[in-house]
Amino acid sequence: MNAIPTSRTGQAISTAKLLIDGEFTESRTTEWRDIVNPATQEVLARVPFATKEEVDAAIRCAHAAFDTWKKTPVGARVRIMLKYQALIREHMPRIAKTLSAEQGKTVPDAEGDIFRGLEVVEHACSIGTLQQGEFAENVAGSVDTYTLRQPIGVCAGITPFNFPAMIPLWMFPMAIVCGNTFVLKPSEQDPLSTMQLVELAIEAGVPKGVLNVVHGGKEVVDALCTHELVKAISFVGSTAVGTHVYNLGSQHGKRVQSMMGAKNHAVVLPDANREQTLNALAGAGFGAAGQRCMATSVVVLVGASKDWLPELVEKAKTLKVNAGHEPKTDVGPVVSRTAKERILGLIEAGVKEGATLALDGRDVKVPGYEGGNFVGPTIFSDVTTEMEIYTTEIFGPVLCVMTVPTLDNAIALVNSNPMGNGVGLFTQSGAAARKFQSEIDIGQVGINIPIPVPVPYFSFTGSRGSKLGDLGPYGKQVVQFYTQTKTVTARWFEDGTTAGPVNTTIRLG
Ligand code: NAD
């Protein structure tokens, strides 16, 4: 961490700005961190760790803006989202370039990252029907009951490094369109593309104070979780931090949803389409350098499909490891040197614990990018459930392969893993698929689909160890999360009189 935001070479390096009360401002902090291109180690910009006063100011501005924003008609909110989705579409190539440079993923993956977020903005345009309440007429004589879905106030969002476009877009568009105001804390590792999306939101007409941004790490996050004016917190990131945020926020009376770590299995039955399955496994295991919360990290070969391992290794060998902006790259660098060291340490642990290293990606060479944080596709076979490579989320391009005799054994294996984000089944048998979807205890199931992330008109429904809080991001669930239900029971008299003081209790029985 550096003391002041100046360049080592004397050249100006740009800084990520805070957004407070509609103004993009330079932080007054003395704590800054470099934002580094993971393929080249070039410093792209610096990000401030906002001061306590700046975080407080952002929350107070959001609180002040809430009163007017919650009364802004639905149609006006929707028209901002309509403009916003058009702007994101227009600027996608520019944002994808920034995203690839700061995060490392390939440009097509970066476009996918933005596109999946854009779909949430598109869905936000349907809030007119999504936020409708319920109405029951004549529940007693001249009495009607109806519900209002009202916004809750200042909401905060804390996002991870691996989807700097999609995950912020899971959060603030839906929160805002429901009538809330928002304070976003992007990942400090790659906030530049997130900020480009925030700038477009302001250009689309989000009024001042309705969306605010503070940067930082633990101190900023803890300030959001404990501030009296924050009503709800959406978190996406690792299990350790998500659990901390959930506990701290809940202790301070906030509504919290935490989407956390994963260990996603892909179960392969021998009747599956071999070519398509192997392609899907290679893409889901090694794409985005394995840094997806829905990446496949364990392949479970059932019965005779155990013989497919050599072909999976051959497929993985064909993937091209290179900088994300280079054409035809399949696997970019991992996000940081620290992340690379951690992944290499876990591969070493797997070797020591007796797993077979069927493909070793540790010494991958990328000409022209010798300093990049590259790890090539790596495959372990003979993995057991006690090994660290099985019990830990590696979050890199490393696949663990296990074999079991039957589908029942595979279901038992997956269900005994504490994580519940995603799972895939590869088969041509409808009966096997139906049994699997019914008996598997994982929140998101793919059948011949390796990364089953639901589209935005459903919700992201990771379960068990991958989630705390009952409502997931986007879709109908998040409308519930970002609103509170008020139930009104009303009686009107035809002659215009009201119920007298002795007659105010409505008898429903
Ligand atoms: P992370 O938990 O390190 O960081 C997430 C956020 O928390 C960042 O904004 C960071 O600044 C903040 N943070 C970091 N340390 C903190 C601390 N000690 N106290 C308070 N806040 C802190 O996660 P990451 O490395 O950025 O992202 C990768 C993780 O996110 C993986 O575990 C992945 O599975 C998970 N993830 C989950 C989902 C999902 O939907 N379940 C989606 C994407 C990523």
Side-chain angles (χ1 to χ4, degrees):
M1 205 162 290
N2 301 291
I4 45 168
T6 51
S7 152
R8 285 189 212 104
T9 60
Q11 285 180 329
I13 286 185
S14 63
T15 52
K17 303 291 183 282
L18 307 176
L19 173 62
I20 300 176
D21 207 17
E23 300 292 329
F24 289 96
T25 56
E26 195 79 82
S27 172
R28 292 168 173 268
T29 186
T30 53
E31 280 183 62
W32 295 79
R33 179 185 159 133
D34 292 342
I35 303 162
V36 178
N37 180 319
T40 62
Q41 307 302 341
E42 178 197 354
V43 176
L44 301 171
R46 289 190 178 165
V47 61
F49 278 41
T51 64
K52 267 199 184 99
E53 293 72 26
E54 287 165 342
V55 178
D56 185 61
I59 296 168
R60 287 189 188 282
C61 289
H63 181 66
F66 178 58
D67 202 37
T68 310
W69 182 242
K70 72 179 178 195
K71 293 178 194 149
T72 303
V74 174
R77 287 186 236 145
V78 166
R79 278 187 284 280
I80 292 173
M81 289 299 148
L82 282 167
K83 184 153 184 214
Y84 190 32
Q85 66 81 27
L87 283 170
I88 295 174
R89 234 170 243 287
E90 184 188 334
H91 290 267
M92 192 182 290
R94 174 176 68 91
I95 301 172
K97 226 170 131 188
T98 305
L99 199 160
S100 171
E102 65 177 342
Q103 203 275 351
K105 63 177 72 175
T106 66
V107 172
D109 270 353
E111 284 174 352
D113 188 334
I114 301 162
F115 185 77
R116 295 308 300 261
L118 170 66
E119 288 186 309
V120 179
V121 179
E122 289 169 349
H123 193 231
C125 298
S126 308
I127 199 67
T129 45
L130 289 171
Q131 205 175 341
Q132 281 175 356
E134 295 173 313
F135 189 97
E137 188 182 22
N138 213 23
V139 296
S142 303
V143 175
D144 304 321
T145 298
Y146 50 95
T147 57
L148 313 176
R149 297 214 67 96
Q150 296 190 312
I152 47 185
V154 180
C155 302
I158 300 151
T159 58
F161 80 84
N162 65 329
F163 282 97
M166 177 183 80
I167 292 175
L169 292 176
W170 279 3
M171 296 180 182
F172 71 79
M174 290 304 288
I176 285 174
V177 86
C178 287
N180 300 289
T181 56
F182 206 84
V183 181
L184 176 68
K185 207 299 286 172
S187 169
E188 71 281 21
Q189 298 194 69
D190 50 11
L192 300 177
S193 43
T194 312
M195 289 311 289
Q196 289 174 337
L197 288 162
V198 166
E199 283 162 16
L200 295 182
I202 300 302
E203 192 180 330
V206 172
K208 70 176 198 171
V210 172
L211 174 61
N212 304 270
V213 182
V214 289
H215 299 286
K218 180 175 170 47
E219 278 181 33
V220 171
V221 169
D222 287 0
L224 291 171
C225 292
T226 53
H227 200 290
E228 55 176 349
L229 296 178
V230 173
K231 298 295 175 207
I233 299 167
S234 297
F235 172 88
V236 179
S238 63
T239 300
V241 179
T243 305
H244 163 73
V245 165
Y246 186 84
N247 290 337
L248 189 63
S250 302
Q251 279 158 15
H252 286 80
K254 286 139 204 11
R255 196 177 278 198
V256 189
Q257 54 173 194
S258 277
M259 307 314 126
M260 308 184 293
K263 197 76 182 174
N264 306 310
H265 297 63
V267 175
V268 181
L269 298 188
D271 70 351
N273 181 308
R274 194 162 174 143
E275 184 64 13
Q276 287 186 6
T277 301
L278 291 170
N279 285 338
L281 295 177
F286 306 120
Q291 299 172 117
R292 294 180 180 128
C293 68
M294 290 290 278
T296 297
S297 48
V298 183
V299 174
V300 185
L301 299 175
V302 179
S305 69
K306 69 177 185 310
D307 297 337
W308 298 17
L309 175 64
E311 242 178 288
L312 178 60
V313 171
E314 288 313 307
K315 283 258 181 247
K317 281 184 187 166
T318 65
L319 297 175
K320 197 170 154 201
V321 181
N322 207 340
H325 63 273
E326 294 287 358
K328 300 204 173 125
T329 300
D330 296 304
V331 180
V334 297
V335 71
S336 65
R337 283 196 169 139
T338 312
K340 177 174 173 174
E341 289 311 314
R342 183 180 164 277
I343 294 163
L344 295 183
L346 282 161
I347 296 174
E348 194 56 40
V351 172
K352 281 199 185 124
E353 286 182 305
T356 303
L357 198 48
L359 179 63
D360 185 353
R362 286 177 292 183
D363 287 327
V364 67
K365 301 273 181 294
V366 182
Y369 299 96
E370 284 73 13
N373 312 320
F374 295 99
V375 181
T378 298
I379 299 180
F380 277 110
S381 58
D382 304 314
V383 175
T384 62
T385 52
E386 303 78 40
M387 292 178 179
E388 197 181 355
I389 49 172
Y390 181 77
T391 56
T392 306
E393 182 184 36
I394 300 175
F395 224 56
V398 181
L399 267 184
C400 294
V401 179
M402 304 170 90
T403 54
V404 294
T406 67
L407 178 59
D408 281 319
N409 297 132
I411 292 172
L413 173 75
V414 176
N415 286 352
S416 59
N417 188 287
M419 293 306 182
N421 224 28
V423 69
L425 175 72
F426 293 86
T427 182
Q428 305 214 46
S429 158
R434 194 166 183 282
K435 172 185 169 71
F436 187 82
Q437 75 186 25
S438 152
E439 295 180 17
I440 207 75
D441 190 7
I442 300 284
Q444 300 176 110
V445 180
I447 295 172
N448 299 311
I449 299 281
I451 303 188
V453 178
V455 288
Y457 23 100
F458 289 85
S459 296
F460 192 94
T461 54
S463 65
R464 296 200 281 128
S466 299
K467 180 183 188 181
L468 283 168
D470 54 348
L471 298 169
Y474 66 80
K476 288 180 192 154
Q477 290 195 8
V478 99
V479 177
Q480 278 191 57
F481 182 78
Y482 287 136
T483 58
Q484 57 194 341
T485 304
K486 184 180 282 174
T487 309
V488 181
T489 304
R491 168 184 281 174
W492 294 95
F493 298 95
E494 281 186 16
D495 64 1
T497 61
T498 55
V502 292
N503 195 22
T504 48
T505 308
I506 296 159
R507 285 183 192 280
L508 297 176

